[in-house]
Amino acid sequence: MTQPVSRFVNQSPVPRFAVGPTKAREPHLAVVYATASGEVVCVDGRPLTPGQQVFSRYRTRYEVDMRPQHRSAVLRNNPLVSRDGVHAFEVTLSFTFRVDGWTGAEEFVRAGLTDPLPLVHGHLISLFHGAGQLFSIEDSFGLQRHLNQLCAAPAHLPQGLVVDGCRASVRPDTKALAFLESLIDADWKERQDAAAHMPAVGGAHRGGQLDAIKQGYEIESTKRQADSFAGMLTNSEGLIRHYLVTHPGDAAGAFEMSRQLESARMATAELQNQRALGLFQVMAEKGLIVAGDLDLLRQQLTGQVGMATGGHVPLSATAPTALPGARPWDAPAAAPAQLTAGAPQQAPAPAPAHQQTAPGQPQPGQTVPGQPQVYEPTLVVPVQPHTAAAPAAFSGAALIYLVLDESLDRGSVDELNRGLASLHSALSGAPGVSAALRLCVLGMAAATELRLPLDTVLPSTRTPILTGRPGLSYTHAFRTLQALLRQDVALVKTQRTQVLRPIVFFLTGGVPDEGTGWRTAYAELVDQDGSSVAPHLIALGLGGAEASTVRTLATRPEFGFMAAPHQDAASAAHSVAAFLRDTIVGYGQRLGAGDPQFALAAPDGFRSAEDAL
């Protein structure tokens, strides 16, 4: 629609004294006459006769083409924006326009139009204005049907033109089209994977059945083999016999094993006999063996030697009857008491009342003639070294405020709600951690609303829930927070509790509605000289938040964090939720251990706001 189209075939002055016949017109032309004062007339589209021209007051003759003109155009300068306000539709129009008969020719000349295309273009733009906002960028066919309904009837313009035959063709813009194509490709791939999944599952089931059958046969074979060798001895001879059965062609190997076993038994028996004889000689020299012990001692020593060499020497099930004159083995007559090295010797303490002996009975440790002497060991209780006392738990209160953006998308709000539930579970399940903490949760949007009043998180404390809402006002959030801080700090101090400077975690995902008008409220909130309840503010930005704003919000440079540019809002919200849980729980643990120092590390995927500038 950039090249002009003229409907005037000819424009000439009306001759006064023309000789000969008047110039004829073609059937598709309408002849229009105009006076010097601008009056326009079309005499049924016919030209004036020579006589009429002599006495006519008309000065200009126009020949207007009434044939239809077909054109197509693309709405580039006035695109139709979709419902999301970001993407636009590409609209291609095909239409026909013409002069509306002789009356239309008069109006066309009267309008003084040279090129009717801008007029037609303006009519179509006004007809379609705002239509794209009724449809999402994915519903291009819905918009196309709507546009064709709007321009289905012929449009009669006041300038003598008729626009009809209009047809619209609509497509998403390039970026949205690429996105939709990726969704279609993903759906196709999902369907292909689902189709390939079925035979893969069948193959896995069939393979598992074959493996189970093979394993069953192997178990049966092992069981039959175990049953076959169940009657064999499990000693060395039985193992050699087993080897000979499983390797019938290696009789020489089995014989060599048997010969080596006999040689080992003989060498072991000789060694054990020498040791037993040496032990017997020592015991005899010390007077530890009496005549009644000889037979039993011999059988025991012989049995031990036989078992050591792999043989089986049967022993009597019961000890032999004691010979006359035999007696138990008395304790040594003079065995010195054993003391702990370095420990002083002490007199034995008086026995408790329930352990005291009757008169005439020997006391513990007392020697009685004719009876074996029993020695009581000296008990030495080790003294534990003195260790420094652990630091006492912090007895005050740390006030924690979470100001969370509820204007984020639904996925991000859901991630934050899961994080709040996890934080509530961690604190309510650990009273030692939550005892020194007071938690408050605020939802920030066009207005800031209280989701959890300041309190110690206990199992009976309700879990705060965020609600997605439009708008974003920092000013309202700072005013609300300042009022809560004054009220809460005064209330906690009435409990005679030491209050640490409050800590505020401030999460934003966009640009505030008031522009930079929030700075006054922020300055009043964090002014430590003018307010005794001014908090430390930790700022977290994701999505559409600006790094410069996040850096300004943080009360210290190390307290401002920005999500990575490529990280989507839901993933960043998940990282923030984990960061809040771990930071707050860790702070409570340190307070419980008596350490009020506050430690901070960047959330996963975030970086310093200064580095993001």
Side-chain angles (χ1 to χ4, degrees), residues 403 405 407 444-446 448 471-481 506-519 521-522 525 540-541 544-546 549-550 553:
V403 182
D405 192 346
S407 67
M444 176 177 60
T448 298
L472 183 61
S473 174
Y474 288 1
T475 302
H476 196 276
F478 293 145
R479 298 296 186 194
T480 304
L481 184 59
F506 190 94
L507 172 64
T508 176
V511 178
D513 300 335
E514 63 267 68
T516 59
W518 51 269
R519 295 181 179 270
Y522 169 78
L525 173 68
L540 303 153
E546 297 177 351
T549 303
V550 173
L553 292 173

Side-chain angles (χ1 to χ4, degrees), residues 142-330:
L143 176 60
Q144 179 174 300
R145 287 192 299 271
H146 181 66
L147 296 182
N148 288 330
Q149 291 174 358
L150 291 178
C151 65
H156 296 268
L157 303 184
Q159 293 79 7
L161 296 176
V162 177
V163 181
D164 57 2
C166 178
R167 300 295 296 174
S169 176
V170 182
R171 293 184 55 179
D173 61 8
T174 304
K175 187 175 181 180
L177 187 61
F179 170 71
L180 296 177
E181 289 178 351
S182 66
L183 292 182
I184 295 174
D185 293 341
D187 180 65
W188 288 357
K189 187 177 185 305
E190 176 64 22
R191 293 165 62 184
Q192 291 175 349
D193 293 344
H197 177 70
M198 297 300 295
V201 171
H205 281 302
R206 290 189 292 271
Q209 292 174 354
L210 293 177
D211 293 340
I213 294 173
K214 292 178 181 179
Q215 186 177 16
Y217 281 119
E218 292 175 356
I219 293 174
E220 287 295 330
S221 176
T222 303
K223 185 176 182 300
R224 288 195 301 269
Q225 187 178 16
D227 293 341
S228 300
F229 297 120
M232 293 187 177
L233 298 177
T234 56
N235 53 15
S236 301
E237 288 84 355
L239 294 177
I240 294 175
R241 190 179 299 111
H242 183 199
Y243 178 80
L244 185 59
V245 171
T246 55
H247 300 79
D250 192 14
F255 178 77
E256 178 62 22
M257 293 180 189
S258 178
R259 186 188 66 78
Q260 293 178 359
L261 176 61
E262 293 298 330
S263 299
R265 283 179 175 177
M266 292 175 61
T268 304
E270 180 65 24
L271 179 61
Q272 293 293 342
N273 288 336
Q274 292 178 1
R275 291 179 178 177
L277 180 60
L279 177 61
F280 181 80
Q281 290 175 350
V282 171
M283 294 176 65
E285 293 174 355
K286 299 293 185 180
L288 301 178
I289 300 176
V290 296
D293 299 333
L294 291 176
D295 186 57
L296 179 59
L297 184 60
R298 177 185 60 78
Q299 293 192 30
Q300 291 177 346
L301 293 176
T302 306
Q304 290 176 358
V305 172
M307 291 299 294
T309 57
H312 291 267
V313 179
L315 299 178
S316 174
T318 60
T321 306
L323 297 177
R327 60 185 177 84
W329 182 22
D330 293 341

Side-chain angles (χ1 to χ4, degrees), residues 1 95 97 107-108 111 113 115-126 156-163:
M1 295 177 62
F95 59 91
F97 69 94
E107 297 297 335
F108 187 76
L113 296 176
D115 182 8
L117 281 180
L119 178 65
V120 176
H121 181 268
H123 165 72
L124 295 176
I125 291 298
S126 62
H156 296 268
L157 303 184
Q159 293 79 7
L161 296 176
V162 177
V163 181

Side-chain angles (χ1 to χ4, degrees), residues 342-395:
Q345 299 185 13
Q346 300 178 358
H354 67 278
Q355 294 183 359
Q356 293 182 357
T357 58
Q361 294 184 352
Q363 297 294 328
Q366 180 180 354
T367 302
V368 179
Q371 293 188 7
Q373 183 178 0
V374 179
Y375 294 90
E376 295 291 334
T378 302
L379 178 63
V380 179
V381 179
V383 179
Q384 296 293 336
H386 176 73
T387 57
F394 177 72
S395 60

